[in-house]
Amino acid sequence: MSESSILNWNCSEAADWLKKEGFDENVIDILCNINEVNGRCLLAINESDFSVEPLSTLKLRDRKCLYISIKTLQRDNQNLLLELGLTELASLNLYSTHAPYPKTEISEYFESERISPPASEDGCASKLRPEIGKALLSFCYVVVVTWITAFVMVIVHDRVPDMKRYPPLPDIFLDNVPHIPWAFDMCEVTGTFLFSIWLIVLLFHKHRFILMRRFFALSGTVFLLRCVTMLITSLSVPGAHLQCEPRNHTKEGSTVFGDLAFKISQAYVIWRGAGMSIQGVRTCGDYMFSGHTVALTMLNFFITEYTPRNLYFLHTLTWIMNMFGVFFILAAHEHYSIDVFIAFYITSRLFLYYHTLSNNQALMQRDSVRTRVWFPLFSYFE
């Protein structure tokens, strides 16, 4: 039934809706035949109505099921609630110390109006659609972004400053920690282990396609931002042990298309090896900001968010691996400290902003225009 028709439901149509929701004849008789509840009444039912007759005379099971059905109906018809003036309570700040009601009186009934069912933890939301098409689209998005990233890494490698003229910049951490040659490989082994855990989470999670959609969308966005920061400023190499020289393969008689083809072939090598040194990929110039830190942090946050909160050992382990992976990057002198700090900050903030909006229906509806402008992917995927 359409939104506009609900306001015109008579008692018999309201009874039909209750029957479809699985209520027995006794509940339908009390509500629709004796009390003449219609569509407008269904939209106007609130928490206080459940403490007075006739709703208080229903069985506990019927009251709970009726509450869930009513809130679902109201959630799906927000525009009608606004039209009828039934959403004044939405402006109440649940976290305010000056709330007009005691905190204990703000029950789960009221909170459910504000917060949409999350897909995090163990997938407690039962009505979320998988939307496989969006998951596939987000996968295509991240594939395209990784290709762009690989191509940009080829360009910035050719622009790397000459070490003789531009020595490594002063860095508090790098200047005080000796170079550990095997540390960068350990960082990538740590990232591979985190990725394996994430694959296991996806395999057993109820809403795996939603998780994949969000993971691909966020990862693609962060790496696309990284392409911009790599291009606009070329930092000098962070360590003298790095053999970084511009690869000028342009020869006499070579065409623009030939040079472009060579760069694409180099980008394919980077893309195929996922930019990892253990896969034989070695690049320079892609410092601001650290892609390895992005991958470690993103995997850590997704694993801790989408697994049950009582798995303390797993969450502690992923955080330790995230921090040790960051340490290994710096110990290998492959990035400046600022590269790692900014990578962690940007990744964590984007993750938190995205999930705050996706888990809070009120925020999404209150400022939907700005959300569409600044977060177009979020507006489509969520």
Side-chain angles (χ1 to χ4, degrees):
M1 300 181 180
S2 64
E3 282 188 358
S4 59
S5 65
I6 297 177
L7 295 179
N8 301 321
W9 282 1
N10 53 34
C11 296
S12 61
E13 289 172 318
D16 291 338
W17 178 79
L18 290 169
K19 189 173 182 180
K20 289 180 181 178
E21 292 293 312
F23 294 98
D24 56 31
E25 293 297 331
N26 179 53
V27 175
I28 296 175
D29 183 62
I30 292 175
L31 293 178
C32 298
N33 296 335
I34 298 177
N35 290 278
E36 299 182 349
V37 170
N38 56 18
R40 286 175 177 263
C41 292
L42 290 175
L43 289 174
I45 290 177
N46 55 39
E47 181 184 345
S48 61
D49 294 330
F50 286 86
S51 61
V52 297
E53 294 185 356
L55 298 184
S56 62
T57 63
L58 300 177
K59 297 178 182 178
L60 178 61
R61 180 187 68 86
D62 291 332
R63 288 205 306 273
K64 290 292 186 180
C65 292
L66 179 62
Y67 178 80
I68 294 172
S69 298
I70 291 295
K71 288 304 175 184
T72 302
L73 182 69
Q74 293 173 344
R75 184 195 65 195
D76 295 339
N77 297 276
Q78 290 289 329
N79 293 337
L80 295 183
L81 294 179
L82 290 171
E83 181 180 335
L84 295 174
L86 298 175
T87 56
E88 291 86 351
L89 286 177
S91 61
L92 178 62
N93 184 1
L94 292 180
Y95 307 102
S96 173
T97 57
H98 304 289
Y101 305 104
K103 186 176 181 180
T104 54
E105 293 182 10
I106 303 176
S107 69
E108 60 179 343
Y109 298 138
F110 176 71
E111 289 182 302
S112 66
E113 293 181 2
R114 298 287 308 275
I115 303 174
S116 60
S120 57
E121 295 189 28
D122 53 356
C124 58
S126 59
K127 294 186 178 181
L128 294 176
R129 295 177 297 172
E131 297 183 297
I132 300 176
K134 289 184 178 181
L136 291 175
L137 184 61
S138 65
F139 174 74
C140 295
Y141 168 66
V142 79
V143 169
V144 172
V145 169
T146 52
W147 258 106
I148 296 173
T149 302
F151 188 78
V152 170
M153 289 170 72
V154 174
I155 295 175
V156 298
H157 186 103
D158 294 339
R159 294 175 52 195
V160 64
D162 184 7
M163 286 184 60
K164 295 179 181 179
R165 295 183 58 191
Y166 302 98
L169 299 172
D171 188 285
I172 293 177
F173 189 93
L174 302 186
D175 293 343
N176 293 278
V177 175
H179 171 236
I180 304 176
W182 48 265
F184 201 58
D185 289 345
M186 283 301 301
C187 163
E188 295 182 344
V189 170
T190 302
T192 303
F193 191 70
L194 277 173
F195 185 70
S196 300
I197 297 175
W198 174 236
L199 290 180
I200 295 173
V201 173
L202 285 178
L203 182 63
F204 292 100
H205 202 283
K206 181 179 180 180
H207 299 290
R208 60 184 63 88
F209 289 104
I210 295 178
L211 270 60
M212 287 190 289
R213 181 182 75 206
R214 292 179 175 179
F215 181 79
F216 292 145
L218 279 170
S219 299
T221 300
V222 176
F223 276 98
L224 193 60
L225 178 60
R226 181 172 180 257
C227 292
V228 177
T229 58
M230 285 191 298
L231 272 175
I232 57 180
T233 302
S234 296
L235 297 177
S236 58
V237 293
H241 66 286
L242 296 172
Q243 301 299 320
C244 295
E245 296 180 357
R247 296 172 298 193
N248 189 0
H249 294 275
T250 305
K251 300 178 181 179
E252 292 186 14
S254 63
T255 63
V256 174
F257 293 104
D259 186 53
L260 178 61
F262 178 80
K263 283 183 169 58
I264 292 175
S265 66
Q266 291 296 110
Y268 174 73
V269 173
I270 297 173
W271 181 83
R272 182 187 59 191
M276 300 172 66
S277 62
I278 58 176
Q279 296 286 344
V281 177
R282 293 299 302 177
T283 58
C284 294
D286 53 329
Y287 300 125
M288 180 61 68
F289 45 89
S290 170
H292 284 70
T293 303
V294 168
L296 290 167
T297 306
M298 192 71 73
L299 289 168
N300 171 31
F301 273 62
F302 267 92
I303 292 171
T304 53
E305 175 71 16
Y306 292 103
T307 51
R309 300 201 182 279
N310 57 0
L311 296 180
Y312 303 114
F313 175 78
L314 176 63
H315 298 166
T316 303
L317 176 65
T318 56
W319 269 103
I320 290 175
M321 294 177 70
N322 190 177
M323 295 299 102
F324 266 91
V326 169
F327 170 78
F328 287 140
I329 294 171
L330 295 175
H333 291 204
E334 292 283 342
H335 277 282
Y336 290 106
S337 302
I338 190 66
D339 302 345
V340 170
F341 175 79
I342 291 179
F344 181 85
Y345 184 82
I346 290 177
T347 305
S348 59
R349 294 315 97 180
L350 275 179
F351 180 92
L352 293 174
Y353 294 159
Y354 190 101
H355 284 77
T356 297
L357 288 172
S358 63
N359 288 335
N360 196 311
Q361 208 173 52
L363 287 177
M364 292 173 61
Q365 294 173 353
R366 187 179 304 145
D367 207 359
S368 58
V369 175
R370 188 183 301 178
T371 301
R372 284 195 297 269
V373 172
W374 289 103
F375 302 101
L377 282 177
F378 171 83
S379 299
Y380 175 73
F381 286 134
E382 300 297 331

